[in-house]
Amino acid sequence: MGRLINAEFRKILTTKMWWGLMIPTFIVALAMAWGVGALTSDIADDVYREDFIKSAGIGKDSVSFGVIALTRAINISTMFPLIFGALALSSELHRKTITTSFLTASSRPALLSAKAITYVLWGAIYGIVIVLGASLGTLAGSDSDILPEGGQWMLIALMGIVSTVLWTLLGLGVGALMGSPVASVIVLLIYAIIVGPVSEIVLTGFADGKPNIAGALPNGSANGLTGSTAADLIQKQIEELAQGKPISDRAVDTFQAAMRFAAGAPGAFALWASALIFIGWSMLFFVSGLARNQRRDIT
Amino acid sequence: MHDGSGRIVVQNLTKHFGQVGAVQNLSFHVEPGSVTGFLGPNGAGKTTTLRMLLGLVTPTAGWATINGQPFNHLGNPGRVVGAVLEAQGFHPTRSARNHLRVYAAAMGIPDQRCDEVLHLVGLGEAAHRKAGGFSLGMKQRLALATALLGDPQVLVLDEPANGLDPEGIAWLRTFLRSFAGGGRTVLISSHLLAEVEQTIDQVVIISRGQTMYYGMLDDLRKSQQSRVIAQPSDPNKLVGALQEAGLSGATPTQDGKIAIPGVTVQQVGDVAAKAGVALYGVQEERADLEELFFRLTSGQYAAPQNPPQFGQLPPGAHGTPPGGYAAPVQLPQGAQPGGWNPQSGPVPQAPPPPQGYDQHQGYQGGQGGNA
């Protein structure tokens, strides 16, 4: 297995695609976090300038709205590792290098497992790049008052890396199922950029803002990983501001929904539920993609 | 895991793609130390058979083994069998050397072997060039280098001469002879008998997915019969005289001559002189292997015009190739392929590699050729 993983790493490192995709990944994460951070800071400025907020003695540093920049940037940047994963097997099928790969591997399951392990590692590498870009962008674009604390930051970063790994595997599975690099990349991009986000907003609109089917879809659950973490954090800080005054459950729900929407995860479930749902989706595509190639006639 | 024999066995192999029967009940085996030609027209099922042997296509029925094991039980298959297949791909921007390094890693062999095989196939100079810029012939050489990477005991080649220049083909011939001469096994497919005739000992001829002939190439050669083509002043009179002399089977050819099987020029001359028929021309002719091959496989497509010298001969009237699947000529168990002495043990000495495309010259055709 070690030999085959080594071979997979060489396949990746001997062409330009890994850095050709990694550069835009970093730039998009950085720019998105920077922009959203600046925008959030402006809005926060306006809010805290209001007299009633001032009179309540609420300081600008009491709520870490900066997490929104972080999650938004992570969510959009995952489309690059998604493409990277989608090409893993489909380009081998397309270029027919899969023939030699199968001829030099002890078995198909061994080769496909080696690919899976390799792309989990590469997904993590992309995840670190994304988190780095998003963090730098958030730092650069946001008022220092609205930045989250280190621990909270780390939790969102960790969720971002988990989400990137799962997106990579989902891409690998779809590419393996479809067998065509162009078709699988187009289908995945249309879903991740257009169909997913739009359907989630529409579904959430009809669901009256509560967690709903949008959060159970692949894109919705993936965004929930980071978005719900951010929303939880802001929620806790607001509750602290209320200083023990009773807040109705309904108010909590409404606020959560609003924050998840702001963090780019409309209709999402709580962190743990989103994680389980997205792991399910990734595994569904990943396993069926590999199963398809277990039996495929290579002609 | 495997018995190390280098033996290939194909038994009752069958493959249907949907309704289309690509390969039907194919059986043959290839002994170590021999080169076996796997011949048939395009679309006869050669590629599908080789891909089933290599575990790339799942058979509908039957089985194939290398070293007594199906391909996916070989453990580290690249060390046992190397394959050059049609449409075997390369990443266009990956260099030749990096392509080999990928698969060297998969087989667990050191990187220096990549340079060895590149030099062996004459691609030493092109090691750092991208495979996407290679000519067809260079790609074939790179595919062969990949096949040889694991120093395998068995080589399977699907139409390896495609795209090779004449020098490359001559080099490949010499290389395969010496590879098999070291006790290893070679199975090579082609749609042209002439292309591999000088290289192979044994031949499997298939058409429409079925075996048409399986046996030694020499036996196929011996099955040919000679005939005499004569141009008499009076064909009818000569045919009559021949029949009187007990020489039957004469048939007219398209250009007004007559063809008489199984006789000598002298016999025809004597009969014609006795009958008082003038002969304007008389010559002896042997059917070549290509014609036999063509007849064995011509069921697949409508036969194009027969070569003129054979005229209107009904099929089978000339030469007696074993026909059909029912009675293939079987190589006796343990029979040694003729023409050379298999040795066991020593690693085959590769012929000197061609020094690039333009420099090497003077390679002879494979030894044992009859050309």
Side-chain angles (χ1 to χ4, degrees), chain B residues 226-271:
Chain B
S226 66
R227 61 176 191 172
V228 168
I229 304 285
Q231 190 179 3
S233 55
D234 185 343
N236 288 331
K237 199 170 174 187
L238 181 62
V239 170
L242 285 166
Q243 275 166 353
E244 277 171 34
L247 304 170
S248 58
T251 47
T253 66
Q254 275 175 331
D255 50 0
K257 301 175 183 175
I258 58 171
I260 313 113
V263 296
T264 64
V265 172
Q266 286 81 0
Q267 281 176 298
V268 175
D270 289 347
V271 170

Side-chain angles (χ1 to χ4, degrees), chain A:
Chain A
M1 184 59 74
R3 294 201 309 251
L4 293 174
I5 293 172
N6 186 11
E8 290 301 322
F9 265 83
R10 285 184 174 187
K11 279 179 197 168
I12 292 169
L13 291 171
T14 52
T15 61
K16 296 169 184 164
M17 200 187 60
W18 69 273
W19 58 261
L21 276 174
M22 201 172 271
I23 290 171
T25 308
F26 182 78
I27 292 173
V28 166
L30 183 81
M32 187 76 179
W34 198 316
V36 175
L39 193 67
T40 313
S41 299
D42 280 355
I43 295 171
D45 267 351
D46 291 345
V47 170
Y48 289 118
R49 212 172 282 135
E50 291 295 327
D51 285 344
F52 79 94
I53 299 273
K54 276 185 185 165
S55 64
I58 297 173
K60 199 177 166 186
D61 58 352
S62 48
V63 181
S64 315
F65 285 112
V67 291
I68 291 172
L70 211 50
T71 60
R72 286 258 169 170
I74 291 171
N75 291 351
I76 186 93
S77 312
T78 50
M79 71 177 170
F80 294 103
L82 174 64
I83 295 172
F84 186 71
L87 294 175
L89 201 66
S90 63
S91 78
E92 280 223 56
L93 288 165
H94 173 67
R95 299 194 194 287
K96 300 188 186 293
T97 52
I98 194 73
T99 304
T100 317
S101 296
F102 279 153
L103 287 178
T104 52
S106 53
S107 66
R108 288 193 189 190
L111 179 82
L112 298 172
S113 310
K115 232 180 223 316
I117 292 167
T118 306
Y119 277 81
V120 164
L121 294 172
W122 274 91
I125 294 170
Y126 267 90
I128 290 167
V129 169
I130 287 173
V131 163
L132 222 67
S135 298
L136 287 175
T138 306
L139 273 174
S142 311
D143 266 347
S144 55
D145 286 338
I146 64 165
L147 291 176
E149 287 165 21
Q152 298 154 344
W153 200 309
M154 287 305 288
L155 183 63
I156 292 176
L158 188 68
M159 286 307 120
I161 293 171
V162 169
S163 163
T164 311
V165 168
L166 292 174
W167 270 122
T168 310
L169 289 184
L170 188 142
L172 201 165
V174 171
L177 269 180
M178 298 187 67
S180 155
V182 176
S184 50
V185 166
I186 288 176
V187 164
L188 284 170
L189 281 187
I190 288 179
Y191 174 73
I193 295 176
I194 301 167
V195 177
V198 170
S199 68
E200 282 146 27
I201 289 172
V202 171
L203 288 167
T204 307
F206 283 114
D208 205 16
K210 291 195 176 67
N212 63 72
I213 189 148
L217 297 175
N219 192 56
S221 54
N223 290 342
L225 267 179
T226 48
S228 294
T229 312
D232 282 350
L233 165 62
I234 294 175
Q235 161 103 19
K236 279 203 192 86
Q237 290 174 333
I238 301 273
E239 278 177 23
E240 277 167 28
L241 283 180
Q243 289 162 337
K245 285 175 200 160
I247 303 174
S248 71
D249 285 352
R250 190 159 174 278
V252 170
D253 283 352
T254 308
F255 189 76
Q256 275 276 10
M259 280 302 111
R260 282 171 186 166
F261 185 83
F269 290 92
L271 168 64
W272 63 271
S274 294
L276 286 181
I277 294 168
F278 191 46
I279 288 173
W281 279 112
S282 301
M283 287 303 121
L284 175 72
F285 283 106
F286 177 68
V287 170
S288 51
L290 295 199
R292 166 85 180 83
N293 285 280
Q294 182 56 35
R295 297 288 300 168
R296 188 192 289 266
D297 281 345
I298 307 296
T299 51

